[in-house]
Amino acid sequence: MGDDPRLSFVPFSRPTLDAEEEEAVLAVLRSGWLTTGEVAARFESEFAQFVGARHALALNSATAGLHLCLEALGVGPGSAVLTTPFTFAATAEVIRYLGADPVFVDIDPGTLNIDAEKLQTTLEALSAAGRRVSAIVPVHIGGLACDMEAIGHLSVRFGAPVVEDAAHAFPVRHGERHLGTLGDAGVFSFYATKTITTGEGGMVVTDRDEVAARIRLMRLHGIDRDVWNRYTDPGAGWKYDIVAPGYKYNMTDIAAAIGRVQLAKAQRFLQRRKAIAKRYLVALGGLDFLTLPRWAEEHAWHLFVIRVREQKLRRTRDECIGILQAKGIGVSVHFIPLHLMSYYKTRYGLRPEDFPVARDCFQGCISLPISAGHSDEEVDRVISAVAGLRD
Ligand SMILES: Cc1ncc(COP(=O)(O)O)c(C=O)c1O
């Protein structure tokens, strides 16, 4: 440590990996089989068991998972898919991949999740206009559940399947179930900042056999059978057929080996994130220039989003970010709402005021460092830097 902030930089996130992950990867490297094989299959069955789903399908990203789920559920050109503007690029771009249109619904300021009442109003308006709604994609922001009861009712009423974007939401219980298993399909991300990581990676879970079968087909070129063993199994035939123009979205055994080890540590990682969230809430609770997230036990605490009351503090959010960064704190912003992005703005003629809650929440938000890899000392440095914003 020292005065140079670069020497004591607190990163936004730090993956927690040790000799176990290293040994698991080495075992794969030495096995002679690197791409999708037995290790990925084991990761899938362990993951399915963990979350209580009938099927789990390992992929190279959650983006791929969202794409494949929507494709498998029949989302196609000209239909509408309802989702939140307060999310990452991936959630909406996959809708466009399929020629469908994302229809955004504003968020609840308390949870930052899609507002279920506004979702109902939007569905009613689309239905009155005769527009086909092919799916609903709620995003559990930071790992806090959307109102899945209300969304489930709307799904039935309007005949639109639900794909949970659970990229942030592992492992989160929601009563008896896990988030990601409440809709027709759910998608988890293993990107480097997530609760468990494979570097890059994702997992789809579903109880619907035909959805799982379609995803299994489309994740590997639309080839009609699993061909991962065709080079090693002397009994495996060389023939295969292509029954659809599929994609190349499979997970390697190298990544799956990391995933299996991480999965076994998931509860420990979650507990550490919860402890950090509590530490932030206790220490920052008295600062009147901040709005803090509400404590929730059923929460992945993938993100810890504070909102700066700019007028009270007499500093802008961007100034605050500059100050925190100068003190060596690796902050981030989740999210710049999609309706403010050039592509969606231009294509759909969207204005900032169309989704005022998302626009206003974005205005002050800053994501503080949080991960199982952060020490108490680092968290305390973040706390004193945030408290110092007043000075
Ligand atoms: C809400 C949300 N959905 C989907 C994704 C895509 O995840 P991946 O990077 O695994 O494709 C992300 C990425 O972080 C995300 O934040």
Side-chain angles (χ1 to χ4, degrees):
M1 305 270 163
D3 292 339
D4 184 345
R6 283 169 308 173
L7 297 179
S8 54
F9 182 68
V10 181
F12 176 66
S13 175
R14 183 184 291 117
T16 307
L17 302 158
D18 59 30
E20 270 189 275
E21 282 86 351
E22 290 172 12
E23 277 159 27
V25 168
L26 274 176
V28 172
L29 297 184
R30 287 170 181 158
S31 74
W33 188 262
L34 306 185
T35 182
T36 311
E38 255 167 53
V39 184
R42 284 212 190 117
F43 184 33
E44 289 178 336
S45 60
E46 289 161 2
F47 196 91
Q49 193 175 11
F50 189 105
V51 299
R54 201 167 148 80
H55 304 279
L57 297 124
L59 304 165
N60 58 10
S61 71
T63 307
L66 289 165
H67 183 194
L68 291 178
C69 286
L70 294 179
E71 199 274 343
L73 288 163
V75 170
S79 68
V81 176
L82 274 64
T83 192
T84 167
F86 202 78
T87 186
F88 185 59
T91 315
E93 76 197 15
V94 296
I95 300 168
R96 294 296 303 131
Y97 292 177
L98 294 161
D101 298 307
V103 173
F104 297 122
V105 176
D106 211 353
I107 58 170
D108 175 314
T111 61
L112 306 177
N113 284 331
I114 194 165
D115 182 323
E117 276 178 31
K118 289 180 184 148
L119 178 62
Q120 176 172 337
T121 321
T122 309
L123 282 163
E124 284 166 352
L126 289 168
S127 153
R131 186 89 195 269
R132 188 167 86 86
V133 176
S134 54
I136 303 170
V137 184
V139 182
H140 306 299
I141 290 292
L144 178 65
C146 295
D147 184 347
M148 291 307 291
E149 240 200 329
I151 292 170
H153 288 311
L154 293 171
S155 159
V156 173
R157 182 174 152 203
F158 291 92
V162 172
V163 175
E164 291 175 78
D165 183 337
H168 302 176
F170 184 75
V172 188
R173 295 201 73 88
H174 188 64
E176 297 293 293
R177 312 273 298 271
H178 268 265
L179 285 188
T181 67
L182 306 174
D184 293 80
V187 185
F188 299 94
S189 171
F190 307 136
Y191 180 71
T193 58
K194 301 298 194 290
T195 306
I196 69 167
T197 186
T198 57
E200 298 280 0
M203 189 76 81
V204 166
V205 297
T206 182
D207 285 346
R208 290 181 54 175
D209 295 347
E210 80 290 6
V211 171
R214 178 71 183 177
I215 292 175
R216 196 165 279 123
L217 178 76
M218 295 304 279
R219 74 173 162 182
L220 202 64
H221 304 297
I223 289 175
D224 67 341
R225 63 185 178 87
D226 273 346
V227 288
W228 60 266
N229 65 347
R230 76 189 143 112
Y231 297 112
T232 52
D233 181 350
W238 54 268
K239 283 189 183 162
Y240 59 85
D241 192 15
I242 296 162
V243 296
Y247 306 97
K248 183 69 167 73
Y249 282 165
N250 54 305
M251 177 183 277
T252 66
D253 270 12
I254 302 170
I258 303 172
R260 290 187 67 211
V261 177
Q262 291 265 301
L263 182 61
K265 300 174 179 174
Q267 288 301 347
R268 177 152 62 82
F269 292 163
L270 174 65
Q271 293 316 318
R272 180 63 194 144
R273 282 179 180 267
K274 283 184 171 175
I276 292 173
K278 273 192 184 149
R279 204 174 179 93
Y280 278 144
L281 285 170
V282 169
L284 302 175
L287 301 176
D288 63 357
F289 59 88
L290 292 182
T291 303
L292 298 178
R294 269 198 301 268
W295 171 254
E297 191 63 38
E298 292 186 323
H299 197 315
W301 294 104
H302 165 58
L303 298 175
F304 192 92
V305 179
I306 60 170
R307 271 146 59 203
V308 176
R309 296 187 196 154
E310 294 178 327
Q311 282 173 345
K312 188 122 202 152
L313 184 61
R314 292 182 208 212
R315 282 191 206 285
T316 65
R317 181 268 311 274
D318 296 0
E319 285 168 347
C320 293
I321 288 181
I323 293 167
L324 294 173
Q325 284 176 335
K327 290 186 176 174
I329 310 297
V331 291
S332 188
V333 172
H334 298 87
F335 288 94
I336 308 171
L338 295 180
H339 76 288
L340 305 182
M341 298 291 184
S342 301
Y343 173 72
Y344 294 102
K345 227 167 44 180
T346 313
R347 178 164 183 101
Y348 296 106
L350 300 176
R351 297 160 306 163
E353 60 271 29
D354 289 339
F355 306 99
V357 184
R359 176 201 57 192
D360 293 349
C361 289
F362 159 64
Q363 190 62 39
C365 73
I366 303 177
S367 299
L368 299 185
I370 189 162
S371 74
H374 282 106
S375 66
D376 283 350
E377 189 205 2
E378 287 177 312
V379 174
D380 289 345
R381 279 199 48 216
V382 177
I383 289 167
S384 67
V386 172
L389 288 171
R390 170 70 97 196
D391 303 339

